[in-house]
Structures are given as structure tokens and as C-alpha cells.
Amino acid sequence: SKLEVIRNFCIIAHIDHGKSTLADRILEICEAVPKQKMREQFMDQMDLEREKGITIKAKAIRLRYFSKRFQKEFIFNLIDTPGHVDFSYEVSRSLAACEGALLVVDATQGVEAQTYAHASLAIAQKLTIIPVINKIDLPASAPERAKEEIEHILGKEHPPFFLVSAKTGAGVEELLDAIVQYIPPPQAKSDAHLRALIFDSSYDSYRGVLLFVRIFDGSVKRGDRIRVFSTGAEFEVTEVGIFNPKMQPTELLEAGSVGYLACNMKNIRDARVGDTLVSASDPQPQPIPGYKKVKPMVFCNFYPVQSEDYQRLKDALEKLQLNDAALSFEPDFSEALGFGFSCGFLGLLHMEITQERIEREFGVEVVATAPHVVYHVLTTRGDVVEVKSPKDFPSPTEIEETEEPYVLIQIITPPEYIGGIMELCQARRGIFKDMVYLDAERVLIKYEMPLAEILLDFYSRLKALSRGFASMDYEFAGYRPANLVRVDILVNRDRVDGLSFICCKEQAYHRARQVVSQLKEIIPRQLFAVAIQASIGGKVIAREDIPALRKDVLQKCYGGDVTRKRKLLEKQKEGKKRMKAIGKVRIPQEAFLAVLKSG
Ligand code: GTP
């Protein structure tokens, strides 16, 4: 049958282990694009869309491979997977669109945290995993060591190891024959109702949302009526096609194949990654399992550096959201930083990428506050409040219980750094789960840890104490009970909204002392004494005082004009009183930033 010649696969690897280079070699052998245009063609976009600042990535590329060994032509669908842990759900959905995966490991580096994380996802999807050891052209390559480490993850039952150099192309053709030999062709029912997995999407200003789909059953063509399984919304298909590597419309997308589909959809939130498209006429549609609506896990606020850039910042976020269903934002006002947005992200990298794109692609400079998580508060009334900002944190008397998000982190490190890493994890409230030697030089350590603890500088600390050798990855592990409090900062007894923060009770004293002493350094001395206090539910837990700046008013009076002196002293006292009565201290913006950025 037609399906016999199809192979759907993806490449998974730790960063820099050679995924893109290998994809380039594969494209070259399959002669999809002329050599010199290789990289820009595969990874890149169509010119028109690029000019408009909207990018369409080749999320899946269709290749023809003529195998000399099997004397037959095959169709390969190479599906792109996002490289980073923040997008692990998307990775798992891309994997779900495939029957197999190439697990690429750099022979000079061995297995790293993302090798492990991605391989685990592929194992969970029951894919055929072909282990590929790359960079064998380098003198430092140690393929035997890499093999041992890989077998710790994959076990003994797997296709043979393939040793390649993606750079020189050595071994790549043999690898393509291995794809034919070991990765099974898709199993699909062509005559059944449509069942298609959405594994990615993108916004196009002409065609509306483009859905990237793997057809599991049935087929789809222009004019068909389809339904998004989880929402029930129906659409008429206006175009179907494949990436060749540019988008190329086709008559039909058949069972087992991979391609794109347009249906006049206006918003990428109307059909999310992982959802199933079914035929509108199917009386009993069955979804493809595994759909989740992803929620932002990490929040931070963006403010324009120039307040007149507010509208441009809003436009930038709206544009980015067109192609990013996981990005959320809502307007926010801060006493100190003015008008801005509270934004939600999948993780730290997602946040950094977004900020960078706003600055680079839209030319808007932003101030970002420290990232924070969403807490759950069970109130005495019995409802659950999702707390995204300290100002939403209920008062202590209304709180029954609080919860915070946890992650399972996986660290891979040379053994000499185990001690330091465990100390770091323990200090961050980590709960030890597991430790496995992958070989004599590599240890996999697992901890459960509050997400909030890794948002603050955890990765750079890990890198520093392991001299760059440790790598890490993490996955969400659910909400757990925590003892959370809101710490307010009072300046001369006035609560300063923008400075409140939420943390666990054990850390409250330490954090509070840190913040008040930081503020003491930053707030300039005033004409009156300033008390900086930190409090929990009205109870003061830390305090610093900034003494009054005693302006030497008398110096201005030459000689002994007593009445003048007295007048001046009166004036100074009055000034003090007025300032105290207002209770407003001029706090420089940097003070807020220092606190908000340190988290
Ligand atoms: P990300 O896109 O950052 O995830 O990286 P990647 O996994 O796609 O790696 P990429 O293909 O960009 O390769 C990383 C670096 O390794 C590049 O400088 C490549 O030129 C180099 N590289 C890849 N494969 C080989 C190889 O077989 N031999 C040698 N010597 N270098 C290689």
C-alpha cells in the first residue's frame, strides 16, 4: 500500500549536539534544496511573510529518499521539535505525530539533561528510537562511552547504534537506510472518518491560522467541513498542502501523511497544539489521546522604559500572541513603574525569548520584573484563588491552605560536583528523588523542587558550581501544600504596593531583611527619618531606619542674626512635619527595580 513507503520521524538532541547540521545533511541527500540554500530554506520562512514580520517555519518537511540498498523510493516526513524544556508539551505532541525518532548524541559530550528528557518523552510515546552518535570526526570523540550512557536510558532493546559525522556526512546515508529499516510505516485507516493531530500552528495574514497536522485516519481536502474536537467549533477547509520545503498546496492529505491545513481560522487559540481535528459529519469522533491545554507557569511584568511606548508594547505583545498560543498578557499598573502588562509564560526561556523579540523586532525597550509563579490559596470560604500577583493574596485570616507549583528536575553531571549540586538543591527546598551513574563520568540526579526556587538564578548557580559541566532539565510535577505568606513593605508606615512579595514562611525573615537593607541603601536620605519595615499581616518582621539628612541650614547665615536663624529652623521643622504628615517618601524607580528584579 501507499503507507508502506512513508516514514514519519523527528530528531531529538541536547542543544548543540548537531540536530540542525544532521537535518541539513539529510535534506542534501534527499536533494530537497540546493546545497547553498540549505539552512535558510529548511529552518526559515517564506520571503513575503518575513517582510511582514510574520514567520512561517517549516515545521515538517517532506522528502523523497531513493534508497540504493532497497532500490526503492521512500517518503520521509521530518518533523521539527522545539529544542527546549519550556516547550516539552509541544515536543511530546510533535513526537506523537511520528513513528520514530533519531536520538542524536555528541560523541565528545555524551548524554546531557535534554538528551535524557527528550528520550524519556519519546519512550513514553512508544516511538522507535534510533541512537545516533554524532561528531565522530572529532579526535576527542568517545563513542563507546556515549553508547554506554545511551543504553542506560534506552535499555538494551533498540536498533543498532549509528556513528555519523553530520559535518562531513559520514554515515548519514546508512542512517537513512536505518530509518527505512527500523522505523515502522504509519498504521492508518484510509477509509475511516478523519482524525488528525495538530502538532503545531502558525498565523498567516492571508490564509488565517495554518494548522500543522498528522493525519491518523481518513483524509482531508479543500471544501471539507472539520471540527476541533475539544471545542466543537467547525470550519471549512480552504487549503491543504505539504512542505516541499516551501508550502505547496495538494489535492488531499491522506491517512499516514503530514502537512498543513488552512480553514479561515482567525485565532491560533481556536485550535491548540495537541487537539484533534475530526470530520464534522462524524457521529462518534474519537480524539487522539494526550491533549492538554497548556497554562502559563511563569509570570512577570513588562513595563515600557519610555512611558510613551505603552501602545507600541501592547502592539508587540498582540503580534507575538498571533503566533504564540501560550503567551498571555493583561494590563497592569504599578505605582512605581506606571502602565505595563502582567505576562504569563511557559517557562523562563519562553519569557526571555519574548522580551528579546519585543526589544529586537519591535524596538521597544522594556523593564521586566523578577519572574514568579502562580500560587493557589484555599480560602476559609472554601474556594481556590489563583494568585498571580501579591496584591491578590488574601489576608492571613481568610487563608485555609496555600499551595505552590513543584517541578521534577533532572541534572546530569560529572561525579566530582555531586556534593555541591546536592547542597544547592537542598538549600532550594529540594526533595531528593534519585541518583544513577550512567557511567563512571556521568551521574543523573533527580530532585523535586518548588518552581519558584529555580526561577531565581538556579541555572547559573548550577553552571558556576560545576564549571559549566552540569546540564539540567525539568518538568512540571503538580501543586503541593506550602506555608506561604505575603510580606508587605512599609515606608514610614505606608504600604508600598509594588514592593510586596509572596514567599514561604521559613524564608520570609531572611528575604524581608534582605529587601529592607537593600532599600536602605537605595532610598536617598530625606529631610526626615524614614522607617522601612517588612510585615506579615500587620506584624513587623524586619526594620531599617534611614536617618534624616540634617541640612545645615544655619551655615547660610553669616554672623549672628538670631531671628533669621530661628526662622529658618522653624521652617525646617515645618517642612519635616508636612512631609511626615503626607507620609510620602520619594522613592527612586531604581529602588523598585532592585527589589522587583531580585525577586
Ligand atoms: P541547536 O539548534 O542550538 O539546538 O543546536 P543543534 O543541535 O541544531 O546543533 P547544530 O547542528 O547547530 O550544531 C552545533 C555545532 O556543532 C555547530 O557548530 C556544528 O557545525 C557542529 N557540528 C554538528 N555536527 C558536527 C559533526 O559531525 N562534526 C563536527 N566536527 N561538528 C559538528
Side-chain angles (χ1 to χ4, degrees):
S1 90
K2 278 190 207 161
L3 296 176
E4 277 305 308
V5 299
I6 300 178
R7 298 293 180 278
N8 298 317
F9 68 97
C10 55
I11 306 175
I12 51 182
H14 190 77
I15 288 167
D16 280 345
H17 283 204
K19 181 172 119 172
S20 312
T21 312
L22 180 62
D24 286 352
R25 282 301 83 70
I26 295 176
L27 263 62
E28 200 176 279
I29 292 173
C30 298
E31 284 179 85
V33 276
K35 213 170 187 164
Q36 68 276 18
K37 294 195 109 180
M38 198 72 60
R39 185 163 285 242
E40 54 191 60
Q41 288 254 7
F42 175 52
M43 288 328 258
D44 238 6
Q45 310 83 26
M46 301 183 66
D47 299 342
L48 191 66
E49 276 82 8
R50 185 160 45 200
E51 273 163 35
K52 294 192 169 299
I54 294 162
T55 52
I56 297 178
K57 254 179 136 186
K59 312 276 178 156
I61 185 167
R62 183 185 155 109
L63 302 164
R64 291 174 176 279
Y65 172 59
F66 182 81
S67 165
K68 292 187 198 103
R69 184 172 149 206
F70 297 101
Q71 282 299 305
K72 201 168 159 186
E73 187 174 78
F74 291 89
I75 292 172
F76 285 173
N77 288 306
L78 169 54
I79 293 173
D80 192 26
T81 53
H84 193 270
V85 7
D86 282 5
F87 311 105
S88 66
Y89 169 70
E90 263 109 292
V91 175
S92 80
R93 297 296 79 197
S94 297
L95 296 177
C98 303
E99 276 75 36
L102 308 181
L103 178 66
V104 175
V105 175
D106 182 335
T108 67
Q109 302 294 313
V111 164
E112 303 267 10
Q114 273 155 287
T115 319
Y116 177 78
H118 286 170
S120 306
L121 292 173
I123 293 167
Q125 293 291 338
K126 301 193 167 60
L127 300 192
T128 300
I129 302 170
I130 300 179
V132 180
I133 295 173
N134 188 31
K135 306 200 189 182
I136 52 158
D137 57 296
L138 293 176
S141 79
E144 291 309 315
R145 212 191 97 199
K147 283 183 188 174
E148 188 182 342
E149 293 169 4
I150 293 171
E151 282 203 333
H152 253 282
I153 301 175
L154 296 186
K156 300 263 180 230
E157 296 287 307
H158 56 77
F161 288 100
F162 283 82
L163 274 60
V164 306
S165 166
K167 190 173 174 187
T168 68
V172 179
E173 195 149 348
E174 288 82 348
L175 179 60
L176 296 188
D177 286 332
I179 292 170
V180 169
Q181 185 177 356
Y182 295 104
I183 297 177
Q187 303 236 326
K189 288 183 279 213
S190 336
D191 52 355
H193 277 290
L194 174 70
R195 234 160 48 107
L197 170 71
I198 303 170
F199 63 86
D200 210 333
S201 65
S202 162
Y203 183 80
D204 174 281
S205 43
Y206 303 106
R207 285 168 282 206
V209 177
L210 296 173
L211 300 173
F212 302 95
V213 293
R214 154 73 196 268
I215 314 292
F216 275 84
D217 291 319
S219 63
V220 62
K221 61 179 187 308
R222 188 191 159 113
D224 284 355
R225 276 202 78 74
I226 54 167
R227 185 188 303 144
V228 178
F229 184 84
S230 72
T231 66
E234 292 188 10
F235 298 88
E236 187 179 312
V237 177
T238 55
E239 185 180 323
V240 299
I242 54 170
F243 288 100
N244 205 15
K246 289 202 174 193
M247 282 198 290
Q248 177 189 313
T250 55
E251 282 289 304
L252 190 74
L253 281 181
E254 288 180 282
S257 67
V258 174
Y260 71 87
L261 177 159
C263 57
N264 271 327
M265 193 181 278
K266 295 292 170 234
N267 192 322
I268 50 167
R269 279 157 205 80
D270 288 342
R272 292 179 182 257
V273 168
D275 212 334
T276 306
L277 296 178
V278 298
S279 158
S281 61
D282 188 347
Q284 277 183 314
Q286 293 298 315
I288 294 150
Y291 173 62
K292 264 196 324 203
K293 190 174 164 186
V294 288
K295 282 181 119 182
M297 297 299 299
V298 173
F299 283 76
C300 92
N301 293 8
F302 285 164
Y303 302 93
V305 170
Q306 312 286 336
S307 57
E308 60 270 24
D309 274 348
Y310 176 81
Q311 189 57 44
R312 288 177 61 214
L313 175 57
K314 187 169 177 227
D315 291 346
L317 285 165
E318 276 166 0
K319 285 236 175 66
L320 290 174
Q321 209 180 38
L322 282 177
N323 263 308
D324 185 350
L327 171 66
S328 71
F329 65 91
E330 50 192 64
D332 180 80
F333 175 74
S334 149
E335 264 179 285
L337 303 167
F339 289 97
F341 298 93
S342 156
C343 308
F345 307 94
L346 294 175
L348 277 181
L349 183 87
H350 187 209
M351 178 184 105
E352 280 159 22
I353 292 172
T354 307
Q355 186 181 351
E356 201 181 304
R357 291 188 68 182
I358 291 171
E359 301 196 324
R360 222 186 34 217
E361 293 169 32
F362 299 90
V364 183
E365 255 193 290
V366 301
V367 169
T369 60
H372 60 269
V373 301
V374 180
Y375 295 106
H376 287 173
V377 177
L378 275 70
T379 68
T380 46
R381 292 183 306 279
D383 47 3
V384 180
V385 186
E386 282 197 357
V387 179
K388 290 183 192 144
S389 153
K391 60 178 179 279
D392 306 327
F393 199 76
S395 77
T397 54
E398 292 170 62
I399 296 173
E400 186 72 42
E401 214 179 290
T402 54
E403 290 182 334
E404 68 179 320
Y406 270 66
V407 291
L408 173 67
I409 76 166
Q410 297 132 5
I411 297 169
I412 291 186
T413 177
E416 58 263 44
Y417 307 113
I418 295 175
I421 290 172
M422 291 180 81
E423 242 170 69
L424 173 66
C425 292
Q426 235 88 43
R428 299 297 185 102
R429 297 189 283 145
I431 303 159
F432 176 80
K433 288 315 248 189
D434 198 8
M435 183 160 89
V436 190
Y437 276 77
L438 300 180
D439 61 18
E441 289 162 72
R442 243 146 232 260
V443 183
L444 167 66
I445 307 172
K446 295 186 189 179
Y447 267 87
E448 276 178 356
M449 197 180 281
L451 174 59
E453 297 286 346
I454 60 169
L455 294 187
L456 296 178
D457 204 34
F458 183 82
Y459 186 64
S460 54
R461 293 283 301 281
L462 177 72
K463 279 288 177 193
L465 69 80
S466 66
R467 297 164 178 238
F469 282 114
S471 60
M472 73 168 248
D473 207 327
Y474 64 86
E475 64 196 76
F476 183 54
Y479 274 81
R480 308 270 169 84
N483 196 356
L484 301 169
V485 291
R486 183 179 80 188
V487 179
D488 292 320
I489 301 296
L490 305 113
V491 172
N492 276 353
R493 297 197 170 68
D494 266 357
R495 193 175 88 199
V496 187
D497 267 343
L499 294 180
S500 299
F501 59 91
I502 299 168
C503 70
C504 78
K505 197 165 179 194
E506 304 88 78
Q507 292 176 345
Y509 291 89
H510 177 72
R511 289 272 309 273
R513 261 197 299 276
Q514 240 178 355
V515 170
V516 293
S517 60
Q518 216 175 358
L519 285 172
K520 185 185 176 186
E521 295 307 312
I522 298 166
I523 297 176
R525 286 173 80 174
Q526 321 266 326
L527 289 170
F528 47 89
V530 175
I532 304 165
Q533 297 167 306
S535 81
I536 299 173
K539 185 171 160 269
V540 174
I541 59 167
R543 173 177 181 139
E544 287 281 354
D545 289 287
I546 305 176
L549 182 73
R550 194 162 189 287
K551 242 217 255 168
D552 217 343
V553 283
L554 303 187
Q555 232 166 38
K556 282 188 189 146
C557 322
Y558 330 88
D561 185 350
V562 179
T563 42
R564 215 187 128 154
K565 264 190 199 167
R566 185 168 300 134
K567 240 187 190 160
L568 273 170
L569 282 169
E570 289 298 316
K571 227 174 158 182
Q572 195 189 25
K573 234 165 129 188
E574 213 177 70
K576 271 191 194 176
K577 242 193 279 169
R578 199 175 64 232
M579 293 296 273
K580 267 188 182 161
I582 298 165
K584 283 272 178 198
V585 178
R586 290 181 64 85
I587 305 175
Q589 188 164 315
E590 307 93 84
F592 283 91
L593 280 183
V595 175
L596 296 175
K597 288 200 139 181
S598 72

